[in-house]
Amino acid sequence: MVGSGGFTTTTRSFEFREGGEWAFVLHGPDGTDYSEWIRWLRIAPPERIALLHGESRDDPNAFESVITFAPDGAATRIEMRTVFPTKELRDEAVEKYHAIEGGRQTLSSLAAYVSDLARKGAQG
């Protein structure tokens, strides 16, 4: 799967349920691989997904994110809030890994994907 900024993803395992896990590798455009792990903490359709995200199951620097979905006219507003264990880890994610811009790119890619699905569905 191609992600934002030229990254690709290889999924090792995926179980989308509360308590389930997603283990994957992000492949950077420069050839660097990043092992990633997510545990789904809460899945409450259609309004919320909460998750714990780190490099591995036992990562002491894992952070929590909550993604909310709310109607916004004919569209859906998506908001993601992330809490890091320390200010230093947050700053590193923002400055070194460009997390804010990466998040915007990811949500933009999601919006394009959903719009394409809706267009294809309308053409039926």
Side-chain angles (χ1 to χ4, degrees), residues 11-22:
T11 294
R12 294 180 175 158
S13 63
F14 184 85
E15 187 176 13
F16 189 64
R17 64 166 182 80
E18 288 186 11
E21 297 180 355
W22 178 21

Side-chain angles (χ1 to χ4, degrees), residues 1 9-17 19-26 35-40 55-57:
M1 169 169 44
T9 303
T10 300
T11 294
R12 294 180 175 158
S13 63
F14 184 85
E15 187 176 13
F16 189 64
R17 64 166 182 80
E21 297 180 355
W22 178 21
F24 58 102
V25 178
L26 289 177
S35 291
E36 301 289 331
W37 169 88
I38 287 175
R39 179 177 17 197
W40 308 107
E55 292 181 2
S56 63
R57 183 178 289 136

Side-chain angles (χ1 to χ4, degrees), residues 52-53 59-64 82-90:
L52 183 65
H53 184 165
D59 184 352
N61 298 324
F63 53 88
E64 290 188 36
T82 300
V83 177
F84 289 86
T86 67
K87 177 186 180 306
E88 292 76 22
L89 288 169
R90 184 211 54 202

Side-chain angles (χ1 to χ4, degrees), residues 100-111:
I100 293 171
E101 180 57 32
R104 287 183 179 135
Q105 289 176 9
T106 298
L107 290 176
S108 179
S109 295
L110 175 61

